[in-house]
Structure formats: C-alpha cells, structure tokens
Amino acid sequence: MRYHRRNPANRYRRNPIKYPIARLPRALSEQDAVDVAYRQEIEEIYKKLLKGVSVLLECDKQLISYLYAALRNLSKANLDAGLPTFHTVRNSAGELRPSFKIISGRSPDEEGQPAKSLLDKYVKELKEAVNAGEGVIIIPHLDLLATEKGGLTDTAKEIIATLYENPEIVILGFKDPEFALPKSLSRIFPAKASIAGIRRDVLPRLLTQVEARKLGFEDFDPFSLYKYLSGVNAVRLREIEELILDDDNLIEFDGDDKHLKKVYR
C-alpha cells in the first residue's frame, strides 16, 4: 500500500468565506466605523467608569475624539432608556445629559493677565474639574504632563498629588502606545485597557458595498483582506477605503495583489 506524504502547508489553507456584497453597509462614517469596530471595548470601559473606577486607555491619538464621542453617545442612550449612567447636568436646552469634563487646554485667557501656555491651561482645567468633583474627567493627552525623558513636570507632580487626595474622582485618560507613562501617573488608574487594530469578525461591517465592488469582489471574503488590515485602526481604515473610491481604475484583487498592497501602505 502506498502512502502519500501530507504537505504541512495544507493545514493552514482554508476555503474562502463567501460574504454577499448586499449584506455590506451602503454608507459608513468614521464615527460609525469606530462604534462598530470597538463596541465591546467601549462598553467594558463604560462599565468600569460607571463603577467609579478610573481607566487608562492606550490607543492611537487618531482615535481619541471618536472614542470619547462613542462613550458620550452610549451614556446618553442609557440615560434616555432609563439605564444607569453618570452624574447628569442640564444643557443649554434644559435637557439632562451625562456630565463629562474634557481637558482640552482651550480655556480663554483671563482678561488683563498674560497669555497662558497650553500646559498651564491644561493644568488649570484639570484642577477645576477635580475641585468640581462631578461626572467623568476626560484627559485626552496625558503625555503633556510628562517630560520628554519620561519624568514628570513640577506642575504635573502637583496635579498627581491632588488626584491621589481625591480618590473618588473618576478619570478616563488616554495614552499613546509609543509614549512611556511614568509609573506615578499610571498608578492613578486602577483599570487599564487597550484598543489597537481591528478584529477579524467586524471587518465585513467596515467596508461598504461600493468599496467592495471597486475592489472587484462578487462575494466578500474578510480573511483575504485581513492580513493587510489587522494593524490598522478603524478611522485609518475608512481613510484607506476612500482612497480606493478616488481611484478611477478598478483595483483587481486575488489575495496577493501588488496594487492593493500599495494602497494599504
């Protein structure tokens, strides 16, 4: 009896997944893409903040404003549905809305006083938010509180002392993956979270019907694109897909297409 030796490479082969283009979304904004791609992570962060636990979130700076908006929208939806949410305030229209204080460094200078630096404004806003002690404080750029060598500015040390003296304060801080955060600052956050790239299972919902047709697909196979996109965040993915639509020529894709590699660089 003759035995045929099995090629080890065959273990990694798989049949393509057929995902009909008709099931893909017709339109998708960058915010929609973030909501879809990171819904699980956003809900987990929301639950921790709701329990009064401060969270340090590591993600690309490109995602910060979108993740903040997603968290704010989730909180508003829960409030409207009568579900637990954060401390609420009334907006200019008299409507109750969850209270978030985002530290932007954009507060106006005091009349008759010298103009303050971005860092000084950042620290001033943070102190005011801590003293108010209501809602969730959003710190989008923690790196402003540290020096280039990974240490802390004198002003930042004062802020950290204030935060430690007010453990009831709930903070969502954003950390750049390429930035080393000093341990004394990192310890303020009992919970840590990270958002990077996109999951394979959400990829079919991040490509529109028009974009799939532009790539020459009849049926969409998420796995065929995933190797090009696994490290790309959802906002960057939408930018790349818009480049595809700007190209007047059809981009042919056979699973190892040089043109597609060029587009996704």
Side-chain angles (χ1 to χ4, degrees):
M1 183 179 295
R2 178 178 298 178
Y3 293 92
H4 296 281
R5 181 176 296 178
R6 179 177 297 177
N7 186 348
N10 290 337
R11 290 182 300 171
Y12 304 100
R13 293 181 180 176
R14 55 166 185 79
N15 294 325
I17 295 177
K18 297 299 183 181
Y19 199 95
I21 285 182
R23 292 177 58 187
L24 299 177
R26 293 180 178 275
L28 198 69
S29 68
E30 291 177 349
Q31 185 63 57
D32 292 335
V34 169
D35 293 343
V36 169
Y38 308 122
R39 181 174 182 81
Q40 293 181 11
E41 292 86 345
I42 292 167
E43 289 180 347
E44 286 301 315
I45 292 169
Y46 178 87
K47 291 176 183 178
K48 288 183 173 65
L49 294 173
L50 198 57
K51 292 178 180 178
V53 178
S54 293
V55 179
L56 176 62
L57 174 57
E58 182 176 280
C59 68
D60 293 335
K61 285 187 178 296
Q62 189 178 30
L63 291 174
I64 292 176
S65 61
Y66 296 98
L67 292 172
Y68 167 57
L71 184 69
R72 186 184 59 205
N73 293 339
L74 175 60
S75 182
K76 178 180 177 296
N78 282 0
L79 174 64
D80 293 342
L83 299 174
T85 188
F86 308 111
H87 174 79
T88 57
V89 294
R90 292 194 180 277
N91 60 16
S92 57
E95 302 170 326
L96 280 177
R97 289 293 177 259
S99 175
F100 291 97
K101 175 57 180 178
I102 185 164
I103 309 302
S104 64
R106 298 176 182 174
S107 56
D109 292 313
E110 296 179 10
E111 188 175 352
Q113 297 295 324
K116 292 181 178 294
S117 67
L118 175 63
L119 178 58
D120 288 339
K121 290 182 179 181
Y122 208 76
V123 171
K124 176 178 178 291
E125 292 176 17
L126 189 50
K127 283 184 177 181
E128 291 174 349
V130 169
N131 291 334
E134 297 177 343
V136 178
I137 299 175
I138 309 294
I139 307 180
H141 304 294
L142 280 170
D143 51 299
L144 290 180
L145 301 179
T147 65
E148 293 181 358
K149 296 181 179 180
L152 290 168
T153 62
D154 292 337
T155 307
K157 292 176 182 177
E158 180 184 350
I159 289 296
I160 289 175
T162 302
L163 295 176
Y164 274 117
E165 292 169 1
N166 296 272
E168 73 283 357
I169 297 296
V170 182
I171 306 171
L172 173 61
F174 290 88
K175 173 188 177 300
D176 191 313
E178 299 181 1
F179 177 75
L181 205 63
K183 291 183 179 179
S184 55
L185 185 55
S186 178
R187 280 196 290 264
I188 293 174
F189 303 91
K192 309 291 192 297
S194 177
I195 291 179
I198 50 177
R199 298 195 315 275
R200 192 187 311 247
D201 60 301
V202 301
L203 185 54
R205 290 178 284 166
L206 299 178
L207 189 74
T208 67
Q209 296 181 20
V210 173
E211 291 159 353
R213 292 190 179 98
K214 185 71 174 180
L215 286 170
F217 290 128
E218 293 182 2
D219 291 299
F220 175 57
D221 180 4
F223 291 97
S224 63
L225 283 178
Y226 187 71
K227 61 183 177 181
Y228 299 102
L229 305 173
S230 58
V232 175
N233 70 55
V235 176
R236 178 58 181 151
L237 174 61
R238 292 305 308 150
E239 292 175 347
I240 291 171
E241 289 167 351
E242 288 176 5
L243 289 177
I244 294 174
L245 293 181
D246 288 340
D247 194 324
D248 293 333
N249 300 314
L250 180 69
I251 300 175
E252 296 182 359
F253 179 77
D254 59 7
D256 189 25
D257 190 88
K258 293 181 180 179
H259 296 295
L260 191 63
K261 287 181 180 179
K262 185 177 180 180
V263 169
Y264 281 113
R265 282 177 184 171

